[in-house]
Amino acid sequence: MTTTSPASEIAFDVLVSDHPRPAADRAEILAAPKFGSVFTDHMVTLRWSADRGWHDGRLEPYGPFTLDPGTSVFHYAQEIFEGLKAYRQHGGAIVAFRPQANAARFGSSARRMAMPQLPGDAFVRAIELLVSQDRAWVPDGEGHSLYLRPFMIATQTGLGINQPSQQYLFALIASPAAAYFSGGARPVSVWISPEYTRAAPGGTGEAKCGGNYGGAFAGQQQAIANGCDQVVWLDAVERRWIEEMGGMNLFFVSGSGSSASIMTPALTGTMLPGITRDSLLTLAPGLGIKAEEGRISVDEWRAGCASGEISEVFACGTAAVITPVGKVKSPAGEWLVGDGSPGPVTLRLREELLGLQYGDRPDPHGWIHKIC
Ligand code: PLP
Ligand code: COI
């Protein structure tokens, strides 16, 4: 069977696996999914070459790639990825959250990394195909979902760097997931990295490319060594302004009740423009919570927590959903946010976002994309 994506005319052949995981094994995995550790029975692949454009689209059994050791991606890390989730809603539908926004960000990442543009409709079509085929893999437990990982790698063989690869592989894989942080809304502790930065002006910080994450592990290791869950990055120029976390954007809450407001660092080109971040900036005003972009330094964070002006801080992202930040540590000292426990604004926004994604709330912005 071949299925065509109408606008871009990119076709996908469908090859169904003859060795899917037995239902009993799958049920055991779905009962307690671990983030990104087991993958479904199928994947989507699609190739691009300078002479043929996008071709050889396929939904096929999940399996390894065979690549020449001289393949460009192994040496120069020309790789981008996305992360989004499919939810089994309480009404029974399986949906994705804002997949077109991920398609658009994949396009900007591709541009920054000198890679070809995948038409947005083909990106979404790939998701629809894989999720429909592997729908039995979408878990129904509280807060569970199917994490989708689209990515693209440079596949030309050769070590020259005069021009980018002339061949690419796009692929989509999926993995049943519980919340990224165990314990749901359990507050995390963060380490503000004094030594490393994640991204500099003019660099690749706003692209979702693998290198940004490879370069972040040393900072994350230091966070763990200092007894913290996650690293927080500062700007690379002044080393004072808070940017984001390893895989999440940050929000700072001031006030409470009808005077509550949230602020997230403005996008300067060195941060990932999070889709959860954007969704919260849009949703909060409807809940009577003022929302704005701004900037905050480490000293202001510390002083704001000491004076009580900052009442809550939380991180947000696809994998992390909304996770409270309870404790902050840096070489200059450590402090609690509020009393270290999850605050009401954080929990309210979390409930609203999850309610939308799981179909318990109306969807006025048209963010829910029904798949099957
Ligand atoms: N910042 C970084 C570095 C990330 O990797 C992510 C996760 O994708 C985010 C922020 C949050 O983005 P989103 O809400 O689109 O998942
Ligand atoms: C996501 O939330 O999709 C992310 O990309 C975080 C991930 C790198 C664990």
Side-chain angles (χ1 to χ4, degrees), residues 16-344:
V16 175
S17 172
D18 59 9
H19 55 278
R21 206 180 275 265
D25 291 5
R26 189 180 64 229
E28 200 174 312
I29 294 161
L30 294 190
K34 290 193 193 70
F35 182 83
S37 59
V38 177
F39 296 92
T40 66
D41 295 319
H42 296 87
M43 63 183 182
V44 172
T45 57
L46 176 65
R47 291 175 190 272
W48 185 92
S49 61
D51 52 341
R52 294 179 64 192
W54 292 106
H55 62 277
D56 280 358
R58 222 168 263 152
L59 173 94
E60 60 188 308
Y62 184 92
F65 301 132
T66 300
L67 291 168
D68 189 292
T71 301
S72 182
V73 67
F74 295 140
H75 306 275
Y76 307 127
Q78 212 188 350
E79 189 269 359
I80 58 171
F81 68 97
E82 266 305 322
L84 70 163
K85 285 172 170 175
Y87 305 86
R88 190 179 291 278
Q89 290 197 327
H90 295 139
I94 295 178
V95 307
F97 184 68
R98 305 188 70 183
Q100 291 89 351
N102 293 91
R105 190 170 64 188
F106 197 65
S108 340
S109 299
R111 213 167 294 120
R112 178 61 183 85
M113 297 300 288
M115 296 167 93
Q117 290 291 307
L118 174 66
D121 66 291
F123 180 97
V124 174
R125 182 83 193 112
I127 289 168
E128 291 169 344
L129 269 176
L130 182 61
V131 173
S132 305
Q133 180 65 43
D134 284 342
R135 73 186 75 173
W137 281 92
V138 185
D140 61 4
E142 178 72 25
H144 294 177
S145 59
L146 184 66
Y147 182 77
L148 304 170
R149 174 54 65 87
F151 61 102
M152 185 179 5
I153 58 173
T155 49
Q156 186 170 331
T157 303
L159 302 184
I161 53 163
N162 284 341
Q163 63 170 0
S165 171
Q166 299 296 292
Q167 289 169 16
Y168 294 88
L169 169 68
F170 166 82
L172 167 66
I173 56 176
S175 168
Y180 186 67
F181 294 113
S182 53
R186 179 184 72 83
V188 292
S189 53
V190 299
W191 165 251
I192 301 180
S193 179
E195 183 176 357
Y196 301 117
T197 57
R198 176 183 173 274
T204 58
E206 69 183 347
K208 204 160 166 66
C209 58
N212 288 345
Y213 298 78
F217 284 120
Q220 176 62 18
Q221 266 182 329
Q222 282 192 342
I224 306 266
N226 281 281
C228 295
D229 297 305
Q230 287 286 314
V231 59
V232 164
W233 300 110
L234 293 178
D235 79 284
V237 178
E238 295 185 61
R239 304 279 186 113
R240 344 176 4 211
W241 305 106
I242 303 294
E243 296 221 314
E244 60 181 328
M245 281 168 57
M248 290 144 260
N249 293 113
L250 280 165
F251 273 91
F252 297 80
V253 182
S254 330
S256 60
S258 58
S259 68
S261 66
I262 57 172
M263 188 283 285
T264 187
L267 301 174
T268 55
T270 55
M271 280 170 263
L272 194 81
I275 292 160
T276 318
R277 171 189 182 280
D278 180 74
S279 306
L280 294 176
L281 286 172
T282 308
L283 282 177
L287 304 173
I289 301 166
K290 192 172 151 219
E292 59 184 16
E293 299 177 80
R295 69 176 187 176
I296 180 168
S297 66
V298 184
D299 291 344
E300 287 165 344
W301 186 352
R302 187 177 186 170
C305 286
S307 70
E309 196 190 324
I310 295 173
S311 45
E312 306 171 33
V313 177
F314 63 85
C316 70
T318 297
V321 194
I322 292 182
T323 298
V325 174
K327 197 171 116 185
V328 190
K329 198 169 170 188
S330 78
E334 60 183 88
W335 64 94
L336 285 181
V337 179
D339 64 2
S341 56

